[in-house]
Amino acid sequence: MGTLSRGMFSVLVANIIDLGFNLVTNFALPKYLPVESYAAIKTFTLMISYAGVLHFGYEDGMYLKYGGKQKKDIDIEEWKVNISSLRIFQLGISVCILIAGIYLNSDIIFMFSLVLLPYNMVMYYKQFYQAIGEFKLYGYLMNITTVLLFAANMFFIVLGKKQYIWYLAANNIMYFFIWCILEVSIKRKIKTNLGCFIFSARECWNNIRSGFLLMLGNFSSVILTSMDRWFVKFLLNTTAFAEYSFAVSLENFINVAVTPITVTLYNFFCQNKSIEKIKKIQEYVLLFAVAIITAAFPAKFILETWLTSYSESGNTMFLLFCGQLYFILVKSIYVNFYKAQKMQKKYFKKLIIVIGMGFVFNWIFYLIVPMMEAFALGTLLSAVLWLGLCQFDFKELFLGIQGNSYLCLEMILFLICGFYFNAVVGGCMYIIGSYILSIIFMKNTVQELKQMIVTTIIRKNKNN
């Protein structure tokens, strides 16, 4: 557990830094840019979220291949072939998309083709460091990405640039720059050439074959969590898409806090098979999920006082944050457990069911109420269904009537406080209500956490 906590702490520090810069960026862009430009930037961002499918599972195969290993156990010559083959493979895909962008006369597709190679190479390094437990390097990579993208966005805002193309170009340049830094850095570290022109069809096939189902699962997960935005984009107007995308940007702040858990638990599950330990971690994650969605109330306060033009996204934001109660458990515990148990096929089948039902939920709610909130509600119900199917697969990790009742009551409390009260009153009510529910349903776990905190404080005082 010590290695796990140190890994989480390293990633947590990186994510706190990431949060600070992203908070400024995500509030500044909609404040100072026209709705049309902000919507175009969010369309580009949405496309980038699908970039992972264009390596066809190569990076996922690498992730499974090296997951749980230490740096000293890796054959450097073999790894050089692995990374070089991906580099050449992604260059070919980028050229194909570039041609499509020119043919369709789409500047967004054109810019996407330019960022695909550097973006997927940066993601390769992130997954590699995550798989081998090098969380400090992972955190460093995350921070440099965030700081450079923030600097680029702020530079053009200060210059008063209103056209979205400036921000897309800045995004592309920063990812290319980060990729170059990584290539030079790793070359110096291993003190050998990375073999930029080495290509192995066998290496490609082996990685894609082993990682394809996991990629489909990850891609399907992206489809599930972005499906609502496509519905809004094609069925509602540009303003609605900008407002909905803004709500999603706020929801994404939760990922900053959750990433330390999701990143470190895969490596931990690969090395630890104790169900009792995993169940205990699940209880901690559940309490963490209940606590972290409190961030919706400060976000609502900003909407009420500073970004009033986006105030219509408030209820949508609370529905999306509520879905995170379930998504956090699924992504932190169950998705990592599927991967560690090499159960990609079962994971993929369940996810296909959730996507299908998510499509149905979104469409039905839109027909009933053609508003943004309909799609957020569809996403929330998809998250509930996904957690239910995961618990069905792993009965040993089942939350039980008590745990599921706790989740349900927290969801109701959160939505009531968010919908019917202002940010300050609603936030206070939610914190007090959550504490009472936690004592009733999770008393032992709450006491354990309190004891852990007290012990940590005493230990630090002794060391000082």
Side-chain angles (χ1 to χ4, degrees):
M1 294 290 282
T3 303
L4 177 64
S5 60
R6 285 194 298 271
M8 284 188 178
F9 179 76
S10 297
V11 182
L12 179 59
V13 171
N15 275 264
I16 291 173
I17 296 171
D18 183 67
L19 175 61
F21 286 104
N22 276 324
L23 276 171
V24 178
T25 302
N26 281 286
F27 284 121
L29 289 179
K31 178 70 174 178
Y32 296 109
L33 296 184
V35 169
E36 293 76 14
S37 288
Y38 182 69
I41 292 170
K42 285 302 174 182
T43 300
F44 179 72
T45 305
L46 184 56
M47 290 182 66
I48 288 180
S49 69
Y50 289 86
V53 74
L54 294 174
H55 57 68
F56 299 101
Y58 192 107
E59 292 182 11
D60 302 277
M62 176 276 296
Y63 187 72
L64 294 172
K65 181 177 182 178
Y66 296 118
K69 291 185 178 180
Q70 296 182 350
K71 187 166 55 177
K72 63 181 181 180
D73 301 323
I74 295 173
D75 184 330
I76 294 299
E77 293 302 316
E78 181 184 65
W79 180 74
K80 283 167 54 178
V81 174
N82 188 282
I83 191 172
S84 179
S85 297
L86 175 65
R87 193 185 298 117
I88 295 171
F89 174 39
Q90 288 300 283
L91 178 61
I93 298 294
S94 297
V95 170
C96 293
I97 298 176
L98 177 64
I99 294 170
I102 295 172
Y103 177 77
L104 296 172
N105 195 29
S106 170
D107 50 0
I108 293 181
I109 295 178
F110 177 81
M111 297 301 286
F112 174 68
S113 71
L114 298 182
V115 79
L116 178 65
L117 174 60
Y119 178 84
N120 271 343
M121 293 309 300
V122 171
M123 292 303 108
Y124 176 96
Y125 279 102
K126 279 189 176 183
Q127 290 207 59
F128 177 69
Y129 291 145
Q130 178 184 342
I132 65 174
E134 291 285 340
F135 299 115
K136 285 187 178 180
L137 290 172
Y138 176 93
Y140 171 76
L141 180 52
M142 188 173 197
N143 287 160
I144 192 173
T145 304
T146 300
V147 171
L148 289 177
L149 290 175
F150 168 81
N153 284 318
M154 292 304 105
F155 177 74
F156 287 118
I157 286 177
V158 170
L159 289 181
K161 300 296 183 182
K162 302 293 184 180
Q163 294 298 316
Y164 64 87
I165 198 69
W166 291 98
Y167 299 88
L168 304 194
N171 186 91
N172 290 7
I173 292 170
M174 289 305 104
Y175 270 111
F176 186 83
F177 181 62
I178 294 163
W179 174 37
C180 291
I181 290 175
L182 287 168
E183 294 280 344
V184 172
S185 174
I186 198 70
K187 182 179 179 180
R188 289 177 177 175
K189 184 169 291 189
I190 63 177
K191 298 178 180 179
T192 182
N193 196 302
L194 288 179
C196 296
F197 301 103
I198 300 174
F199 180 80
S200 169
R202 176 179 293 182
E203 188 71 14
C204 266
W205 170 247
N206 288 339
N207 278 274
I208 292 173
R209 182 181 59 183
S210 62
F212 187 73
L213 282 177
L214 181 56
M215 179 278 297
L216 286 179
N218 292 334
F219 177 58
S220 300
S221 178
V222 172
I223 291 177
L224 175 63
T225 53
S226 63
M227 183 190 306
D228 48 354
R229 276 172 283 169
W230 288 115
F231 270 100
V232 174
K233 183 170 181 62
F234 290 116
L235 296 177
L236 301 180
N237 57 35
T238 301
T239 301
F241 178 71
E243 291 176 346
Y244 196 94
S245 296
F246 176 71
V248 172
S249 296
L250 297 179
E251 176 205 15
N252 285 339
F253 292 151
I254 289 183
N255 293 329
V256 174
V258 174
T259 300
I261 300 172
T262 57
V263 166
T264 52
L265 282 182
Y266 170 68
N267 188 274
F268 180 78
F269 288 171
C270 286
Q271 299 178 19
N272 297 271
K273 308 297 183 182
S274 171
I275 294 299
E276 290 304 314
K277 284 185 179 180
I278 295 173
K279 287 182 69 174
K280 183 55 62 179
I281 290 173
Q282 181 177 229
E283 291 175 2
Y284 294 152
V285 170
L286 175 54
L287 287 175
F288 175 78
V290 167
I292 197 63
I293 62 172
T294 309
F297 294 98
K300 183 177 182 179
F301 180 78
I302 294 174
L303 288 176
E304 292 173 344
T305 58
W306 193 61
L307 272 175
T308 54
S309 59
Y310 282 80
S311 59
E312 292 296 320
S313 62
N315 287 346
T316 298
M317 177 186 69
F318 272 89
L319 287 167
L320 292 173
F321 267 72
C322 194
Q324 289 294 328
L325 268 176
Y326 299 86
F327 281 133
I328 288 173
L329 274 172
V330 170
K331 293 179 180 180
S332 299
I333 304 299
Y334 293 97
V335 172
N336 278 317
F337 203 61
Y338 277 116
K339 293 176 183 177
Q341 297 293 318
K342 310 298 183 187
M343 297 172 63
Q344 291 93 319
K345 288 184 179 179
K346 182 171 285 190
Y347 166 62
F348 180 63
K349 288 178 182 177
K350 291 297 186 295
L351 196 48
I352 289 298
I353 295 173
V354 177
I355 290 173
M357 291 305 299
F359 185 90
V360 172
F361 291 150
N362 277 279
W363 187 250
I364 289 176
F365 289 129
Y366 171 73
L367 293 178
I368 297 173
V369 185
M371 299 169 62
M372 292 188 298
E373 289 82 354
F375 306 113
L377 181 58
T379 301
L380 170 57
L381 290 184
S382 299
V384 174
L385 175 64
W386 197 5
L387 178 61
L389 291 176
C390 288
Q391 290 188 78
F392 180 81
D393 275 345
F394 301 109
K395 294 181 175 60
E396 65 272 27
L397 299 179
F398 183 61
L399 288 170
I401 296 176
Q402 184 170 318
N404 283 297
S405 298
Y406 174 62
L407 259 179
C408 183
L409 290 173
E410 283 289 348
M411 176 177 67
I412 295 170
L413 173 66
F414 180 74
L415 292 178
I416 290 174
C417 294
F419 282 2
Y420 298 107
F421 299 92
N422 65 39
V424 176
V425 174
C428 292
M429 290 176 60
Y430 176 72
I431 291 171
I432 294 170
S434 293
Y435 181 76
I436 294 171
L437 288 174
S438 299
I439 292 297
I440 294 173
F441 289 94
M442 306 285 289
K443 184 177 180 180
N444 292 337
T445 307
V446 171
Q447 289 177 342
E448 289 172 6
L449 282 174
K450 285 182 178 179
Q451 186 59 46
M452 286 172 62
I453 294 170
V454 170
T455 302
T456 302
I457 293 173
I458 293 174
R459 189 177 300 160
K460 283 186 176 180
N461 288 336
K462 285 182 177 180
N463 291 335
N464 293 334

